[in-house]
Amino acid sequence: MLILTRKIGESILVGDNIRLVVLEIRGRQIRMGIEAPADIVVLREEIAQRLTDENVRAASFNYLEAQQAVNALTLEFAHQVAFRPPRPESPSVTFESQALGRVTVSEDHIITFPSGLPGFPDEHRFVLINDHLEPPFYCLHSVDNPSLAFVVTDPTALVPDYRPKNSAGIMRELSASSSEDLQTLVTLTIPPGRPREITANLMSPVLINPERGLGKQVVIEKPHYSHQYPILSERPNGQPEPGAPGEVSAAPRLRSIL
């Protein structure tokens, strides 16, 4: 670890394009300014850890229970993820799933996450499976880890005006020429034994370029996007109420028949 001493107004350069400036010292706290390119995400360490922990929780679900939970939800959604037909020349890939048994997919449907996912940096190859859950819910399953999978959904089914802006750096990473090339999904956390406490991670959506077979989980730096957005909450009379006050401006249109 490099240890430096700086005064107010003095700075530290990291590489060629990141500058950290000491703005104020107040007791035991230091206010710092950070100058960095727009495509570099700067997070407090506790926020990054929170997102990592949420991914681990999202991957720790009982598949049958999750299937019953999400299939019991009726959402109004404008569109669903388009699964393009496999290319005729693409070979098949078969892998074992702890929950689904043997799964066979077309190799050109495999999505590569070059950076892995928060909490799972060494897991790079995933596939979207759409024949076990009702749209707009899908399973994002690891090709190489039989026990790793996520339940994901189209966030606009929960928050109709969910339109995160993608930086030029992210577009380059995913080989996308425009946002129209990308599919946006969010992971769901379904606590085992407590399916009514299902939440969506709106803070860290998964972006997929299906034509290029590339994916990346990104961070949305907007305080009103929660990493634990409640899909269902209870009204005083016991009836289900979508969402939670104070999280986002538009409430999801959702009905529960759990």
Side-chain angles (χ1 to χ4, degrees), residues 81 83-84 105-114 123-129 139-144 174 183 185 206-216:
V81 172
F83 288 83
R84 59 175 174 77
V105 298
S106 174
E107 187 177 55
D108 69 344
H109 281 180
I110 293 176
I111 305 155
T112 299
F113 289 75
E123 303 291 344
H124 301 285
R125 299 198 307 160
F126 289 80
V127 65
L128 275 174
I129 301 174
C139 178
L140 182 65
H141 203 298
S142 168
V143 175
D144 304 301
L174 296 177
Q183 295 174 344
L185 300 169
V206 175
L207 303 181
I208 294 172
N209 184 340
E211 288 299 320
R212 298 289 187 175
L214 292 172
K216 183 179 180 65

Side-chain angles (χ1 to χ4, degrees), residues 36-160:
D39 58 341
I40 293 181
V41 177
V42 179
L43 293 175
R44 297 192 303 271
E45 183 178 9
E46 61 270 22
I47 297 296
Q49 187 60 51
R50 187 184 303 169
L51 297 177
T52 294
D53 293 344
E54 192 61 28
N55 264 9
V56 173
R57 282 191 291 267
S60 304
F61 64 91
N62 177 288
Y63 196 88
L64 290 178
E65 188 174 75
Q67 187 177 42
Q68 294 169 0
V70 299
N71 287 351
L73 299 176
T74 300
L75 292 177
E76 298 176 19
F77 55 98
H79 63 278
Q80 63 188 70
V81 172
F83 288 83
R84 59 175 174 77
R87 297 183 178 95
E89 69 278 8
S90 178
S92 296
V93 174
T94 299
F95 63 92
E96 296 294 331
S97 165
Q98 185 172 292
L100 305 177
R102 182 164 293 182
V103 178
T104 300
V105 298
S106 174
E107 187 177 55
D108 69 344
H109 281 180
I110 293 176
I111 305 155
T112 299
F113 289 75
S115 303
L117 297 173
F120 305 95
D122 298 325
E123 303 291 344
H124 301 285
R125 299 198 307 160
F126 289 80
V127 65
L128 275 174
I129 301 174
N130 67 331
D131 55 354
H132 291 271
L133 301 173
E134 293 294 331
F137 299 100
Y138 311 93
C139 178
L140 182 65
H141 203 298
S142 168
V143 175
D144 304 301
N145 186 336
S147 63
L148 180 59
F150 301 89
V151 178
V152 297
T153 192
D154 176 355
T156 61
L158 307 176
V159 183

Side-chain angles (χ1 to χ4, degrees), residues 5 22 55 105 117 179 198 234:
T5 301
V22 179
N55 264 9
V105 298
L117 297 173
S179 295
I198 180 173
E234 294 293 330

